[in-house]
Amino acid sequence: MRKDVRILLVGEPKVGKTSLIMSLVSEEFPDEVPLRAEEITIPADVTPERVPTHIVDYSEAEQSDEQLYQEISKANVICIVYSVNNKKSIEKVTSHWIPLINERTDKDSRVPLILVGNKSDLVEHSSMETILPIMNQYSEIETCVECSAKNLKNISELFYYAQKAVLHPTGPLYSPEEKEMKPSCIKALTRIFKISDLDNDGILNDNELNFFQRTCFNIPLAPQALEDVKNVVRKNMSDGVKDNGLTLKGFLFLHTLFIQRGRHETTWTVLRRFGYDDDLELTQEYLFPLLKIPPDCTTELNHNAYLFLQSVFDKHDKDRDCALSPDELKDLFKVFPYMPWGPDVNNTVCTNEQGWITYQGYLSQWTLTTYLDVQRCLEYLGYLGYSIIQEQESQAAAITVTRNKRIDLQKKQTQRSVFRCNVLGARGSGKSGFLQGFLGRNLVRQKKIREDHKSYYAISTTYVYGQEKYLLLHEVLPDFEFLSEADLACDVVCLVYDISNPCSFEYCAKVYKKHYMDSKTPCVIIAAKSDLHEARQYYSLSPLDFCRKHKLHPPQLFTCNTDEAPSKDIYTKLTTMAMYPHAKLRCMCSCNRCTFCICHNLLNSELVRSVKAKLYSTVLNRHMTQADLKNSTFWLRASVGATVFAVLGFAMYKALLKQR
């Protein structure tokens, strides 16, 4: 809503413009009236809409035409004053003033007009019969008020209607000629209805209506008031109420009724609560709330945001198959002005056998958008009505800004949930296959992907020590000389070469030596297409010798040419390395999988040290009064027992995880 209102009074000389302003201010008719009143400002706390109002007078005797034109251009609303006992002043409304104002204002954004019939105390008849045809002829005329500056009749009402014409204009909402709401208004109210329809059954039940009422007007509706509203709709249309709930048609009818009865401020209150401006466009402040992101920090969705997105998914998953069909996805995005997800999204996240985005894939795509382009995520959450449904100040409340990565490295632990892995390699080395393998797609499924639907990202979840984390793979184009900081910035690096191409490894070696050899970013060499015959690489060192020289993990074999989904072991390892870049995760026996190696790493982690400390405390409390507390063997038994508990607990967790 506007922060202030500027009202301009124009009209023929001697019609009482200045008297109206002075009567409003002094609440009495002035004995002496100057040629022109000075501009006055009415404070916000004494106006009905709580908005400062500036009232400007015009005098033909004191002001030039150029000054008049400037005032017209600055005015938010113009009151054309005529004298009800002077026919010439009424004729001048259409012959002079309206054409003059329209010439000086843009056709697409005409300033609202109020016709003011002053000196009603001098006549016994009304001028409305003469004015009504004028009002019907010019759509920019909001209303007409007859008043008297002398006996103070309708003076306050005049300026209230002028203020209301600016703050709650009829023009954007309603077409008087068609006697129906305008398409842009219908579109906005339809979005509001869909957001408020929490179970997506096409009906606003009593709970949803009460939530809507409380959201917009801060007060619930009494049960009888709810029934009265529905009865009004029932009397006027047959399909406005269904199963004792309000349909979209009934919802639109109610707002049409409000506007026709002069209560369009009700509709404007609803529209503004859901983020709309005077042109019925969602405001930039609503879509893009302020969110400060310091350098080296990332953005993630918090728990409440995931719960909200889960409710949106459940709302549109009509067949309860944990996937969104094309029709269900289209229905979900009806509250958007455009389709935000293209066909590449289906190759960025997990899908079912039919190619539909699964629940996990749906959350993954939201996680990806939040990480890569948080402003777009805020915009999308705005379209879905996050701040309204979650009763938050803005959708910025859905975002967690992680701490600086340098602090994570110093503390050797992180609270982040999303980790980025850049995948680099020469052309044809198998980077795209590596990304798609993460989504569970073997070579047969990958061959069905159209080139124009290809994605350079893949995101899904992995489990590291029982914690669910998101791993985001980004395929970097192999333009060696043009790698930007954005291409290089990540948590872990994958250097992919084709095991069957003797020229393939050289690119990986050069990229590593130029960009990563002296960095703290962990790197992994991927020997892709391991199902093919291994060729001797032309590079001076073999991949294995290169890894030994630079103290890297040995090349990790990978292939997508499998009957089932490719193994996810390498992706779990990548996530682990991203989470613990300083940890020595090399296996004692080089198997990378045995229980001994996993437990060795686990028992030296922060998590288990914390568990052991708690176990020590528990044992101490139980045995504090026992005589053998002084015995040194007690501490040995406590330590061994705590370690055994930790190992057994982890083994049981892994077994349960596999079973699930």
Side-chain angles (χ1 to χ4, degrees):
M1 199 159 66
R2 291 183 181 273
K3 294 182 179 179
D4 61 358
V5 174
R6 190 174 181 85
I7 303 171
L8 173 64
L9 274 69
V10 299
E12 294 301 296
K14 306 295 184 181
V15 294
K17 302 184 294 296
T18 308
S19 299
L20 288 169
I21 297 172
M22 298 185 73
S23 293
L24 174 73
V25 174
S26 63
E27 296 185 347
E28 62 180 7
F29 186 69
D31 295 329
E32 294 183 8
V33 180
L35 289 175
R36 177 174 174 265
E38 293 296 323
E39 178 181 327
I40 66 165
T41 298
I42 302 175
D45 56 355
V46 297
T47 63
E49 298 291 342
R50 301 292 177 182
V51 176
T53 302
H54 312 282
I55 302 175
V56 182
D57 192 10
Y58 165 70
S59 171
E60 186 178 324
E62 287 196 354
Q63 292 173 285
S64 65
D65 289 345
E66 189 59 38
Q67 288 175 311
L68 172 61
Y69 301 154
Q70 288 179 3
E71 290 296 348
I72 289 173
S73 65
K74 291 191 291 184
N76 301 130
V77 58
I78 298 176
C79 296
I80 304 176
V81 184
Y82 64 91
S83 175
V84 294
N85 65 342
N86 186 334
K87 289 186 178 180
K88 186 178 179 181
S89 68
I90 298 175
E91 291 171 1
K92 283 284 188 175
V93 170
T94 53
S95 65
H96 175 68
W97 289 109
I98 293 179
L100 174 68
I101 293 167
N102 287 343
E103 284 174 12
R104 298 291 163 179
T105 54
D106 186 23
K107 185 178 180 181
D108 295 327
S109 56
R110 289 276 166 82
V111 63
L113 304 178
I114 306 289
L115 299 187
V116 181
N118 192 21
K119 304 185 181 180
S120 63
D121 58 293
L122 299 179
V123 295
E124 295 182 358
H125 63 274
S126 172
S127 62
M128 284 300 178
E129 289 185 8
T130 308
I131 295 302
L132 280 175
I134 300 174
M135 292 181 64
N136 293 331
Q137 183 180 353
Y138 296 97
S139 59
E140 57 267 36
I141 299 175
E142 286 285 324
T143 189
C144 175
V145 183
E146 288 192 346
C147 58
S148 171
K150 188 172 183 178
N151 61 20
L152 307 183
K153 177 186 176 184
N154 288 341
I155 301 296
S156 298
E157 287 79 0
L158 156 64
F159 291 101
Y160 168 69
Y161 287 130
Q163 192 183 57
K164 185 176 173 182
V166 177
L167 302 178
H168 310 299
T170 308
L173 307 181
Y174 189 75
S175 172
E177 298 85 0
E178 304 292 334
K179 294 185 178 180
E180 60 184 28
M181 284 192 296
K182 291 184 175 179
S184 56
C185 183
I186 293 173
K187 182 180 178 182
L189 289 173
T190 300
R191 170 181 168 267
I192 292 169
F193 179 90
K194 285 190 68 65
I195 290 172
S196 305
D197 183 12
L198 301 177
D199 56 9
N200 199 33
D201 63 351
I203 298 168
L204 295 184
N205 58 40
D206 286 358
N207 289 333
E208 291 166 341
L209 280 170
N210 254 319
F211 180 79
F212 170 81
Q213 175 75 12
R214 194 172 65 252
T215 298
C216 296
F217 305 102
N218 296 320
I219 51 171
L221 279 173
Q224 187 56 50
L226 272 174
E227 284 305 311
D228 291 343
V229 168
K230 286 183 277 189
N231 286 334
V232 169
V233 177
R234 284 190 187 100
K235 289 177 182 178
N236 288 274
M237 58 191 319
S238 58
D239 51 355
V241 177
K242 181 181 177 183
D243 297 333
N244 203 36
L246 204 61
T247 65
L248 174 59
K249 286 185 177 180
F251 184 74
L252 294 176
F253 167 78
L254 272 181
H255 283 282
T256 305
L257 200 62
F258 291 146
I259 296 166
Q260 289 174 341
R261 293 183 177 179
R263 290 182 54 197
H264 33 281
E265 65 271 17
T266 303
T267 300
W268 274 116
T269 301
V270 171
L271 290 166
R272 290 191 174 114
R273 179 65 183 91
F274 280 78
Y276 289 94
D277 62 13
D278 289 350
D279 299 318
L280 296 185
E281 298 288 343
L282 291 171
T283 66
Q284 293 296 295
E285 293 79 9
Y286 172 78
L287 290 177
F288 304 104
L290 182 64
L291 181 67
K292 293 182 179 179
I293 305 169
D296 292 327
C297 297
T298 59
T299 46
E300 301 177 0
L301 292 167
N302 60 33
H303 179 65
N304 287 335
Y306 279 117
L307 289 178
F308 170 76
L309 292 171
Q310 178 184 343
S311 69
V312 173
F313 182 94
D314 293 339
K315 175 177 171 178
H316 293 89
D317 183 20
K318 294 281 185 72
D319 52 11
R320 297 290 181 263
D321 63 347
C322 289
L324 294 176
S325 68
D327 287 341
E328 289 171 340
L329 199 63
K330 186 177 178 181
D331 185 48
L332 189 153
F333 289 127
K334 276 185 178 178
V335 294
F336 285 59
Y338 56 86
M339 184 65 179
W341 292 0
D344 60 309
V345 173
N346 295 60
N347 299 313
T348 305
V349 300
C350 294
T351 58
N352 63 12
E353 293 296 326
Q354 296 166 286
W356 300 350
I357 295 173
T358 61
Y359 170 70
Q360 184 59 58
Y362 164 84
L363 293 182
S364 296
Q365 179 61 25
W366 277 101
T367 303
L368 171 78
T369 306
T370 309
Y371 186 93
L372 296 179
D373 190 350
V374 70
Q375 291 299 316
R376 178 145 313 176
C377 177
L378 292 173
E379 178 189 359
Y380 290 174
L381 289 172
Y383 292 138
L384 291 173
Y386 175 85
S387 61
I388 294 147
I389 301 301
Q390 296 296 107
E391 300 183 76
Q392 299 287 341
E393 186 175 341
S394 75
Q395 53 268 31
I399 307 299
T400 294
V401 178
T402 64
R403 71 184 178 190
N404 192 300
K405 190 178 177 182
R406 292 176 186 173
I407 299 175
D408 285 351
L409 292 172
Q410 290 169 3
K411 294 183 176 291
K412 297 185 179 181
Q413 61 180 1
T414 182
Q415 281 128 15
R416 290 190 296 151
S417 298
V418 186
F419 299 91
R420 177 170 178 161
C421 172
N422 283 352
V423 182
L424 297 95
R427 295 188 187 280
S429 58
K431 300 186 297 297
S432 298
F434 186 72
L435 264 68
Q436 293 301 312
F438 184 35
L439 304 178
R441 295 173 186 141
N442 58 21
L443 196 60
V444 175
R445 289 186 66 184
Q446 290 180 31
K447 287 179 178 179
K448 297 177 182 178
I449 298 174
R450 289 171 47 175
E451 188 64 27
D452 57 336
H453 293 174
K454 182 181 176 182
S455 174
Y456 291 100
Y457 292 94
I459 183 169
S460 190
T461 54
T462 61
Y463 283 88
V464 178
Y465 301 143
Q467 300 177 66
E468 184 183 56
K469 302 293 180 182
Y470 281 95
L471 179 63
L472 167 59
L473 302 180
H474 175 215
E475 179 183 342
V476 180
L477 294 176
D479 295 322
F480 185 84
E481 301 298 328
F482 301 101
L483 291 176
S484 65
E485 288 188 14
D487 293 328
L488 300 172
C490 57
D491 301 300
V492 63
V493 177
C494 256
L495 299 171
V496 182
Y497 76 96
D498 179 356
I499 202 172
S500 65
N501 182 349
C503 304
S504 187
F505 180 72
E506 184 177 5
Y507 178 90
C508 297
K510 287 182 176 179
V511 168
Y512 178 79
K513 290 171 74 174
K514 182 175 181 179
H515 298 291
Y516 295 107
M517 188 164 68
D518 298 323
S519 79
K520 296 181 179 180
T521 306
C523 296
V524 177
I525 306 290
I526 303 294
K529 306 181 184 180
S530 61
D531 57 302
L532 302 178
H533 176 71
E534 183 175 4
R536 181 183 178 84
Q537 297 294 317
Y538 291 157
Y539 188 69
S540 57
L541 291 175
S542 71
L544 182 59
D545 290 339
F546 181 88
C547 291
R548 285 173 177 167
K549 179 181 178 181
H550 295 284
K551 298 180 181 180
L552 299 173
H553 288 276
Q556 305 292 304
L557 299 177
F558 180 82
T559 180
C560 292
N561 194 7
T562 57
D563 293 332
E564 302 297 330
S567 170
K568 285 200 172 185
D569 289 348
I570 182 60
Y571 305 108
T572 302
K573 183 177 289 186
L574 288 170
T575 312
T576 307
M577 293 176 70
M579 288 179 66
Y580 307 107
H582 293 301
K584 296 184 180 296
L585 296 174
R586 294 172 183 259
C587 288
M588 298 295 181
C589 61
S590 302
C591 76
N592 293 312
R593 291 188 302 274
C594 74
T595 304
F596 178 82
C597 299
I598 293 172
C599 290
H600 174 81
N601 291 320
L602 180 67
L603 289 172
N604 285 284
S605 70
E606 291 287 338
L607 175 65
V608 171
R609 281 203 293 270
S610 173
V611 171
K612 286 165 70 176
K614 290 180 180 178
L615 284 169
Y616 286 143
S617 176
T618 303
V619 173
L620 276 172
N621 288 335
R622 288 182 179 178
H623 296 83
M624 189 65 73
T625 58
Q626 295 182 10
D628 65 345
L629 179 63
K630 297 178 182 179
N631 193 334
S632 61
T633 59
F634 165 79
W635 295 104
L636 178 62
R637 285 183 304 201
S639 178
V640 172
T643 304
V644 169
F645 275 127
V647 172
L648 289 174
F650 176 73
M652 289 175 66
Y653 173 79
K654 291 289 287 183
L656 289 170
L657 191 63
K658 286 182 179 180
Q659 184 178 5
R660 188 174 68 176

